[in-house]
């Protein structure tokens, strides 16, 4: 009767907390208060036979991960399963019903696996700060999520899982807590920022390089961690079809988690992720995507969201809001990190097909872009976002970093008109963008840094409120902050396929000429960027990955930028980026 929560303490390990289903946060994800989105525990108790998997019957199949660090706690993740494959299940009102029709899927079992964790400041686990135990079952695809607590701020920890009462252990992971909210931070804090990691399109060298350099404190992912469509290029995405069901999304994430560099990144760094469209479906908005809407989209989104919460080491910050992943982190008095969801939460209609007003529904969207009541994130999240910006400024945090999916700055080709070419970015939600600028202006909020992904190219801009406030592209005067938008880990350039630099670089040149606030742009390289955040200044380094077809540590430095506290623009030293970049096009600078 091990499943009677709170009654039985397994005698074997009196020092450890008793096991329960509740201790495994995977059962709460995405929200146990909403039937269909999480598994009612009553349903799980009913399905138990009372027997546990022995250590020989289960494996830690997908490594370990940690994420959403706070000053005294962090989320840790693993999977302890009788199979490397994933569990098929159908979501029905009131719970999850196992289905047996999928030949690729394992048979859901009523047996549970029991998992223990330890977290310690040393790698030999002599200074254990917290420990715990919990069950996992097929209902949550055998995933395990704990909140490891009782930790010290801004401290490195090692954590490890084992089968209860057994010496069968997972690999050890390393993680780090954040500095406490009002703590003066003793040294600069470094982040690696990623987006758009398409497994079939290449190896995740970008993740591995930061592990090899051991160059950051935390990892941010701005979405498109997986892709939903069927693809088989450099390597095949399983399942070999577009994802719709819970099994599909679990299997897709699990396939990505076989990349050694991704596994290493998860096991060496605490991640702070948000999703973009492809975690559900291409060009998703509140009620649909490019190729699905209505009930099909609703069920698909439900499955995708659930698999994401099971497999990603993130917190559920509001149990009554099962879609909410927008959340914030205070990193001492150095910066606040606001992670937005401009994609799945409550976004108004986007461009599903077609471009720049030609084809698909893009003409329809063109007529909506100016509507005052249009929103990219929903009014509830907007109110929260503006409030967070104001609070962060008034508490005196030096910087405000905003992790966001799509590019914030206006982007035009400027060939015939100034019309933006991608309404699937903030350019399709003009009033919402104005409200962000208005908030910064009204509150005299300084040192705002937008971080963006989604575009598969690199864009570095001052935050210029075009048409509302004068902006001088040579000096940066009039800017409200900066935007760093990173290229993809592997996803193809927006120019598609392999476009040589002699084609890519002149297009970058055209783009920086057409957009006054755009100071550097590159279309050629896949890659990522690192931020080094101090009180006096913040710097960014962009890296490019030359080869995606094999696992490799090669990378090239593409450009570097500085932002001085209080200047609200990219530093000109003497021009932006020190006047030199190694790819793309740099305003008033050379490309070597
Ligand atoms: C666990 O891993 C071992 C070693 O790779 C393998 O032989 C065994 O079949 C796995 N067991 C399960 C249940 O997956
Ligand atoms: C759109 O989505 C919202 C929230 O997810 C839901 O309340 C609403 O019913 C949906 N509308 C349609 C037309 O499906
Ligand atoms: C937004 O404003 C337009 C034009 O005023 C109106 O037609 C539409 O119904 C409004 N939408 C909502 C959701 O209020
Ligand atoms: C932002 O910087 C300006 C110029 O230095 C200053 O006047 C303003 O008070 C600052 N805002 C806040 C909230 O400190």
């Amino acid at each position: 009767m091990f499943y009677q929560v709170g009654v039985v303490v397994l005698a074997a390990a009196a020092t450890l907390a008793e096991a329960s289903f509740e201790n495994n946060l995977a059962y709460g994800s995405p929200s146990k208060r909403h039937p269909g989105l999480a598994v009612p525990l009553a349903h799980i108790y009913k399905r138990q036979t009372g027997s546990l998997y022995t250590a020989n019957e289960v494996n830690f199949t997908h490594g370990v991960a940690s994420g959403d660090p706070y000053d005294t706690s962090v989320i840790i993740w693993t999977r302890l399963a009788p199979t490397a494959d994933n569990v098929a299940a159908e979501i029905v009102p009131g719970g999850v019903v196992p289905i047996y029709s999928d030949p690729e899927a394992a048979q859901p079992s009523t047996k549970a696996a029991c998992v223990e964790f330890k977290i310690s400041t040393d790698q030999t686990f002599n200074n254990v700060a917290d420990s715990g135990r919990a069950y996992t079952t097929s209902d949550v695809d055998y995933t395990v999520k704990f909140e490891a607590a009782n930790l010290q701020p801004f401290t490195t920890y090692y954590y490890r899982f084992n089968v209860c009462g057994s010496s069968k252990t997972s690999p050890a992971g390393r993680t780090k807590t954040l500095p406490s909210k009002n703590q003066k931070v003793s040294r600069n804090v470094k982040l690696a920022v990623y987006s758009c990691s398409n497994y079939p399109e290449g190896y995740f060298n970008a993740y591995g390089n930061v592990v090899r350099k051991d160059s950051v404190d935390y990892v941010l992912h701005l979405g498109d961690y997986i892709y939903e469509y069927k693809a088989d290029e450099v390597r095949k995405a399983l399942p070999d079809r577009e994802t719709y069901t819970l099994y599909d999304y679990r299997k897709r994430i699990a396939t990505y988690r076989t990349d050694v560099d991704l596994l290493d990144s998860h096991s060496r760094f605490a991640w702070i992720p948000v999703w973009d469209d492809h975690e559900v479906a291409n060009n998703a908005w509140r009620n649909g995507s490019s190729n699905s809407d209505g009930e099909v989209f609703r069920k698909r989104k439900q499955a995708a969201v659930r698999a994401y919460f099971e497999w990603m080491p993130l917190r559920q910050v509001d149990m009554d809001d099962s879609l909410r992943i927008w959340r914030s982190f205070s990193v001492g008095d150095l910066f606040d990190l606001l992670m937005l969801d401009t994609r799945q939460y409550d976004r108004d209609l986007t461009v599903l097909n077609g471009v720049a007003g030609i084809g698909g529904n893009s003409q329809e969207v063109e007529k909506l872009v100016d509507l005052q009541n249009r929103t990219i994130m929903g009014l509830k999240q907007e109110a929260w976002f503006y409030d967070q910006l104001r609070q962060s400024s008034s508490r005196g945090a030096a910087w405000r970093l905003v992790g966001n999916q799509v590019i914030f700055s206006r982007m035009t080709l400027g060939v015939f008109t100034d019309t933006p070419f991608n309404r699937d970015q903030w350019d399709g939600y003009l009033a919402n963008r104005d409200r962000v600028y208005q908030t910064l202006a009204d509150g005299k909020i300084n040192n705002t840094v937008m971080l963006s992904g989604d575009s598969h190219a690199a864009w570095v801009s001052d935050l210029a409120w075009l048409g509302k406030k004068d902006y001088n592209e040579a000096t940066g005067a009039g800017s409200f902050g900066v935007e760093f938008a990173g290229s993809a880990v592997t996803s193809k350039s927006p120019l598609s396929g392999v476009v040589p630099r002699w084609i890519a670089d002149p297009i970058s040149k055209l783009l920086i000429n057409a957009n006054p606030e755009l100071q550097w742009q590159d279309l050629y390289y896949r890659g990522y960027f690192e931020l080094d955040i101090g009180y006096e200044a913040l710097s960014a380094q962009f890296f490019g990955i030359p080869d995606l077809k094999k696992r490799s540590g090669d990378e090239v430095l593409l450009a570097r930028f500085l932002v001085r506290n209080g200047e609200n623009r990219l530093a000109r030293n003497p021009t932006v980026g020190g006047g030199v970049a190694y790819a793309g096009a740099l305003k008033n600078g050379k490309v070597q």
Side-chain angles (χ1 to χ4, degrees):
M1 298 293 284
F2 69 91
Y3 50 89
Q4 286 189 353
V5 177
V7 176
V8 175
V9 180
L10 292 183
T15 54
L16 289 163
E18 63 197 72
S20 75
F21 288 98
E22 279 85 351
N23 286 349
N24 182 354
L25 300 178
Y27 290 107
S29 298
S31 176
K32 67 183 172 197
R33 291 187 201 159
H34 297 267
L37 273 168
V39 198
L41 289 171
H43 177 90
I44 292 169
Y45 302 146
K46 224 185 294 174
R47 292 184 50 232
Q48 299 308 310
T49 60
S51 63
L52 288 178
Y53 285 107
T54 65
N56 289 338
E57 292 174 318
V58 284
N59 281 327
F60 292 98
T61 57
H62 290 81
V64 300
S66 75
D68 276 26
Y70 284 170
D71 55 345
T72 61
S73 75
V74 66
I75 302 296
I76 56 175
W77 180 96
T78 193
R79 180 172 188 265
L80 181 62
T83 167
D85 197 4
N86 300 89
V87 177
E90 193 175 24
I91 300 175
V92 297
V96 168
V97 173
I99 51 169
Y100 300 90
S101 54
D102 190 331
E104 283 179 67
Q107 304 277 302
S109 168
T110 53
K111 269 191 179 179
C114 183
V115 194
E116 293 170 346
F117 82 91
K118 283 195 181 85
I119 188 164
S120 173
T121 48
D122 68 309
Q123 298 191 58
T124 47
F125 294 89
N126 284 321
N127 299 308
V128 173
D130 196 16
S131 62
R133 53 164 55 186
Y135 301 120
T136 185
T137 57
S138 59
D139 306 274
V140 288
D141 200 19
Y142 301 104
T143 57
V144 180
K145 274 165 86 166
F146 286 103
E147 180 176 17
N150 302 322
L151 309 180
Q152 296 299 312
F154 209 27
T155 302
T156 297
Y157 285 92
Y158 301 87
Y159 60 96
R160 186 171 80 186
F161 303 89
N162 63 282
V163 179
C164 296
S166 137
S167 59
K168 181 162 196 161
T169 58
S170 71
R174 183 188 70 177
T175 191
K176 190 179 288 173
T177 49
L178 295 181
S180 294
K181 188 164 183 181
N182 294 313
Q183 185 183 342
K184 187 100 193 149
V185 182
S186 53
R187 56 171 180 78
N188 287 9
V189 173
K190 297 180 186 179
L191 309 175
V193 186
Y194 296 108
S195 61
C196 306
S197 33
N198 192 324
Y199 179 93
E201 292 187 359
Y203 284 84
F204 293 156
N205 297 327
Y207 293 142
N209 286 353
V210 172
V211 176
R212 288 181 273 274
K213 294 185 290 184
D214 204 5
S215 48
V216 304
D217 297 292
Y218 312 102
V219 165
L220 263 51
H221 200 292
L222 302 178
D224 292 347
Y225 177 84
I226 58 160
Y227 282 72
E228 83 286 8
Y229 49 78
K230 174 181 157 93
D232 182 4
E233 295 179 39
V234 176
R235 46 191 184 165
K236 186 189 244 174
L238 295 175
D240 191 15
R241 58 175 175 265
E242 185 154 339
T243 52
Y244 281 90
T245 67
L246 184 55
Y247 173 81
D248 292 345
Y249 284 101
R250 285 169 167 173
K251 183 69 179 174
R252 187 56 56 86
I253 301 176
T255 304
Y256 279 55
R257 290 273 178 92
T258 60
D259 181 283
V260 181
D261 287 318
L262 175 57
L263 286 174
D264 283 352
S265 178
H266 274 304
S267 79
R268 303 308 285 165
F269 299 112
W271 277 48
I272 299 176
V274 279
W275 54 43
D276 191 10
D277 51 336
H278 290 284
E279 281 85 351
V280 180
N282 183 51
N283 283 23
W285 63 290
R286 185 203 311 122
N287 293 80
S289 73
S290 285
N291 67 356
S292 54
D293 59 11
E295 192 57 10
V296 171
F297 178 76
R298 201 184 62 75
K299 288 182 91 168
R300 180 181 203 184
K301 184 167 176 176
Q302 202 173 43
V305 164
R306 189 159 146 203
Y308 188 85
F309 273 103
E310 285 170 351
W311 278 76
M312 299 300 281
L314 84 166
R315 291 171 192 264
Q316 174 75 32
V317 290
D318 182 349
M319 289 306 286
D320 275 329
D321 194 342
S322 50
L323 250 192
R324 177 173 167 182
I325 60 166
W326 37 278
R327 60 205 194 281
S328 64
F329 300 85
S330 294
V331 184
D333 65 356
L334 183 59
F335 66 95
D336 285 305
L337 173 64
L338 315 181
M339 300 298 280
L340 301 183
D341 178 356
T342 59
R343 182 58 80 174
Q344 307 290 353
Y345 186 70
D346 202 7
R347 178 186 178 123
D348 283 326
L349 181 67
T350 190
V351 180
L352 304 175
N353 294 291
V355 280
I358 306 163
N361 74 333
S362 64
Q363 243 169 326
E364 180 193 340
V365 170
E366 212 58 38
K367 293 188 198 119
L368 305 175
V369 295
D370 277 322
L371 286 180
Q372 285 309 301
N373 57 9
R374 197 166 150 75
T375 174
I376 197 170
M377 62 179 89
L379 299 183
K380 183 176 167 192
Q381 186 181 179
E382 272 196 53
W384 171 87
F385 178 34
Y386 307 146
D387 196 48
Q388 291 279 312
L389 286 170
R390 286 188 290 261
Q391 279 185 31
S392 171
S393 176
S394 61
R395 87 176 180 94
W399 304 91
R400 276 139 292 288
L401 270 56
V402 182
N404 143 82
Q405 290 72 24
V406 291
I407 291 177
F408 185 77
S409 297
R410 200 271 318 256
M411 289 298 162
T412 173
L413 292 172
V415 180
F416 300 113
T417 68
D418 283 347
T419 305
F421 53 79
N422 188 350
R423 299 297 197 184
D424 186 48
Q425 304 179 160
W426 283 79
D427 271 337
Y429 302 80
L430 302 177
N432 197 159
R433 184 165 63 199
D434 284 344
R435 290 192 287 274
V436 176
Y437 275 121
Q438 196 69 57
T439 303
L440 298 178
D442 290 350
K444 297 188 167 48
I445 296 171
N446 298 307
N447 299 338
T448 302
V449 180
M450 292 295 292
L451 309 173
S452 317
D454 183 72
S455 81
H456 311 178
W459 317 72
V460 171
S461 306
D462 286 327
L463 290 182
W465 196 5
L466 300 171
K468 292 278 172 52
K469 184 159 186 219
D470 289 342
Y471 166 73
N472 182 323
E473 63 181 286
T475 64
S479 172
F480 284 82
V482 301
E483 175 167 30
F484 294 117
S487 180
V489 169
T490 55
S491 307
K492 285 189 182 72
S493 160
L495 298 176
S496 145
V498 182
V499 174
R501 281 198 53 186
W502 64 267
I503 295 178
D505 287 2
I507 298 174
S508 294
K509 186 94 187 157
L510 181 153
L511 285 164
I512 63 165
N513 289 338
N515 294 282
E517 75 287 19
L518 178 62
Q519 299 283 334
W520 177 66
Q521 207 283 324
D522 176 57
L523 290 160
Y524 181 76
Y525 278 105
R526 314 302 80 222
Y528 66 98
F529 61 100
E530 290 183 358
L531 293 174
D532 184 330
I533 305 145
Y535 288 98
E536 298 298 310
L538 170 156
S539 65
Q541 296 195 84
F542 283 71
F543 296 96
I545 305 293
D547 186 4
L548 305 170
K549 292 213 164 67
K550 62 174 197 298
R551 190 169 178 228
S552 151
D554 293 348
E555 67 178 20
V556 281
L557 177 67
L558 302 179
R560 58 172 104 209
F561 304 93
L562 185 75
V563 188
R564 291 194 196 91
N565 188 331
E567 289 193 345
N568 297 324
R569 58 177 170 81
L570 295 156
R572 271 71 173 167
N573 48 335
T575 56
V576 166
V580 184
Y582 303 94
L586 179 70
K587 202 157 270 178
N588 302 319
K590 287 196 300 247
V591 174
Q592 290 182 342

